[in-house]
Amino acid sequence: MSDPDQLIPEEEEDLLEWASMAKLYAVGYIRILADAIERGDADLQVDPVAWENTLVAIEGAMVEHIHGRLHGPTPITVEDVERMRRLRGLGSAALSGGERSPELCPLALQCMECLFGRKWKRAARVAAFYARALNQEFHPRSGT
């Protein structure tokens, strides 16, 4: 009898593709938001719904990593998932016009590094490019 947690190859491929896209867009949105907050921009440049959906997705991918169904360049821990949840909450608060916590930027750096390892800076630049393009396509701001 097969293990119920064992994925068939097509499911494994779909899970990997989903996780890769979630990671790419999560890091992109994290980078865009952290940069905007650090600069003190009035427009944080991230759609709140896109932020929430993407960070929930990456949290799910991180849990799959912990359970051994996904693998990446860095080991993911329960603490990493908790940091990502904290970042999601801080980002959601900022995007809804609430507090822009000084904790957000350092936490953002930790979260990006946990997903991409030491190469997070380059990955974040590329991811931010794709996230901006996606955000503009699906969440265009009027007048821009």
Side-chain angles (χ1 to χ4, degrees), residues 25 28 31-32 123-135:
Y25 287 108
R31 176 74 188 253
I32 292 167
R125 281 193 303 273
V126 172
F129 171 80
Y130 286 110
R132 280 189 183 97
L134 181 71
N135 203 48

Side-chain angles (χ1 to χ4, degrees), residues 13 17 28-30 34 37 79 83 87 104 113 115 134 144:
E13 189 175 311
E17 184 177 334
Y29 287 137
I30 292 168
I37 287 175
E79 291 79 17
R83 275 193 290 279
L87 178 64
L104 191 140
E113 187 170 3
L115 293 173
L134 181 71
T144 58

Side-chain angles (χ1 to χ4, degrees), residues 59-132:
E59 289 168 22
M62 292 169 79
V63 169
E64 291 294 318
H65 185 101
I66 290 170
H67 291 149
R69 290 186 282 265
L70 289 173
H71 303 284
T74 61
I76 301 293
T77 66
V78 172
E79 291 79 17
D80 293 328
V81 177
E82 290 170 0
R83 275 193 290 279
M84 190 64 73
R85 285 184 181 136
R86 175 84 177 129
L87 178 64
R88 178 171 47 98
L90 293 174
S92 293
L95 290 167
S96 68
E99 178 187 5
R100 294 180 180 196
S101 172
E103 180 187 359
L104 191 140
C105 291
L107 190 56
L109 297 176
Q110 289 178 325
C111 289
M112 288 186 290
E113 187 170 3
C114 100
L115 293 173
F116 278 98
R118 287 184 269 174
K119 296 181 181 184
W120 72 266
K121 288 181 183 179
R122 183 181 189 299
R125 281 193 303 273
V126 172
F129 171 80
Y130 286 110
R132 280 189 183 97

Side-chain angles (χ1 to χ4, degrees), residues 4 13 15 18 21 28 51-52 54 62 66 72 79 89 101 121 136 138:
E13 189 175 311
L15 180 61
W18 166 80
M21 294 305 293
W51 171 266
E52 186 69 22
T54 303
M62 292 169 79
I66 290 170
E79 291 79 17
S101 172
K121 288 181 183 179
Q136 187 59 32
F138 290 103

Side-chain angles (χ1 to χ4, degrees), residues 22-41:
K23 184 163 84 169
L24 176 72
Y25 287 108
V27 170
Y29 287 137
I30 292 168
R31 176 74 188 253
I32 292 167
L33 181 62
D35 286 351
I37 287 175
E38 194 169 67
R39 287 189 308 267
D41 293 353

